Amino acid sequence: MLKLEDIHTYYGNIHAIKGLSLEVNQGEIVTLIGSNGAGKSTTLMSISGITRPRMGKILFEGEDITNALTDKIVGMGITQVPEGRMIFPRLTVYENLLMGAYLRKDRKGIKRDEEKSFELFPILKERRKQAGGTLSGGEQQMLAIARALMAQPRLLLLDEPSLGLAPIVVENIFEVITQINSDGTTILLVEQNAQMALQIAHKGYVLETGKVIMEGPARELMENPRVQEAYLGID
């Protein structure tokens, strides 16, 4: 479904992504793990057209989207849930949800997906008239994911969904991610909590300083001594 070929992305003169290649097959959860500054979030932003690569190629379902505009990429079926949620704090929960459907014209479909979001996150239905900024961190993360799902993504990019959340909330978020995948959405997950990410992923890539240093089935990575020591806290 998604293929990155020798991607090089820069911030000014800073070479953030250095020849990164990866693949995501339809129906998979693929996770990117690595320390801060490894290039995980930059990889997602390169895919979604926010930070365009200077070299390399990004293919989505066989089509070259390397230089495509972000709205076209969203329209093709790729949606990103950004790090830090980035909801609209002054809009209500309901209005935030509708922002996720801004490219759509099918009112009945939008209504149907709105109800699906409320089924997935019942607390959002209770809070639908509240301003987004009044929600807890966990509720804002739920809203950010629900907003992304309103765009009907075939590929969902998740950037640090557990960031700053209590452990019980993290468990709930990861259960929902698994459910979204089971319902047919392919997921590329960036996550500091490598243990949780590898538990639900089919495949993983380990990044260091903008490069893939290791890849393979998630279970094999969990059993790799180097991964255990560096990212899972196992000596």
Side-chain angles (χ1 to χ4, degrees), residues 156-195:
L156 183 63
L157 310 178
L158 289 170
D159 195 353
E160 302 286 8
S162 76
L163 187 67
L165 303 182
I168 192 168
V169 179
V170 171
E171 286 186 18
N172 184 23
I173 292 292
F174 274 80
E175 286 174 6
V176 168
I177 292 170
T178 303
Q179 180 62 51
I180 292 167
N181 178 246
S182 298
D183 290 343
T185 303
T186 304
I187 294 172
L188 180 56
L189 168 66
V190 160
E191 180 54 59
Q192 284 279 9
N193 190 332
Q195 182 83 34

Side-chain angles (χ1 to χ4, degrees), residues 4-235:
L4 275 62
E5 299 178 347
D6 193 29
I7 290 298
H8 292 259
T9 302
Y10 291 75
Y11 291 111
N13 294 322
I14 299 172
H15 196 175
I17 301 293
K18 305 169 183 176
L20 186 146
S21 298
L22 62 81
E23 291 185 8
V24 179
N25 295 318
Q26 187 169 351
E28 288 184 325
I29 298 176
V30 175
T31 187
L32 308 182
I33 63 173
S35 58
N36 285 332
K40 306 184 302 297
S41 295
T42 303
T43 299
L44 296 192
M45 290 192 287
S46 297
I47 295 165
S48 57
I50 298 167
T51 307
R52 294 183 189 175
R54 290 189 193 174
M55 296 171 57
K57 188 179 290 187
I58 301 174
L59 302 171
F60 179 62
E61 296 182 329
E63 184 171 343
D64 189 342
I65 62 167
T66 313
N67 296 306
L69 297 175
T70 299
D71 60 342
K72 180 186 177 184
I73 292 170
V74 173
M76 292 175 68
I78 300 176
T79 306
Q80 181 169 342
V81 179
E83 180 180 352
R85 277 82 80 173
M86 307 294 274
I87 64 159
F88 300 99
R90 295 185 181 182
L91 298 184
T92 65
V93 166
Y94 178 67
E95 289 166 338
N96 267 277
L97 278 181
L98 291 184
M99 289 299 290
Y102 78 100
L103 289 178
R104 296 174 59 182
K105 307 292 187 212
D106 55 322
R107 291 187 179 181
K108 288 185 179 179
I110 291 170
K111 185 66 177 176
R112 182 183 63 246
D113 289 341
E114 174 194 319
E115 291 303 319
K116 280 185 183 177
S117 294
F118 289 146
E119 288 173 14
L120 201 58
F121 301 109
I123 191 67
L124 296 183
K125 188 169 187 177
E126 294 178 28
R127 305 269 197 268
R128 64 188 181 276
K129 294 182 180 179
Q130 280 186 221
T134 67
L135 302 180
S136 69
E139 291 165 352
Q140 288 188 21
Q141 186 63 67
M142 294 173 192
L143 178 55
I145 294 172
R147 179 182 62 187
L149 293 176
M150 290 295 291
Q152 295 185 306
R154 295 198 299 283
L155 174 62
L156 183 63
L157 310 178
L158 289 170
D159 195 353
E160 302 286 8
S162 76
L163 187 67
L165 303 182
I168 192 168
V169 179
V170 171
E171 286 186 18
N172 184 23
I173 292 292
F174 274 80
E175 286 174 6
V176 168
I177 292 170
T178 303
Q179 180 62 51
I180 292 167
N181 178 246
S182 298
D183 290 343
T185 303
T186 304
I187 294 172
L188 180 56
L189 168 66
V190 160
E191 180 54 59
Q192 284 279 9
N193 190 332
Q195 182 83 34
M196 293 289 288
L198 291 171
Q199 281 177 358
I200 69 167
H202 300 95
K203 184 169 64 183
Y205 291 86
V206 181
L207 273 60
E208 280 187 9
T209 60
K211 299 177 182 178
V212 173
I213 62 161
M214 205 179 305
E215 63 182 272
R219 290 193 177 187
E220 289 184 11
L221 289 177
M222 286 187 73
E223 295 169 1
N224 183 286
R226 185 176 174 186
V227 173
Q228 289 180 344
E229 182 178 357
Y231 305 106
L232 304 181
I234 302 172
D235 293 331

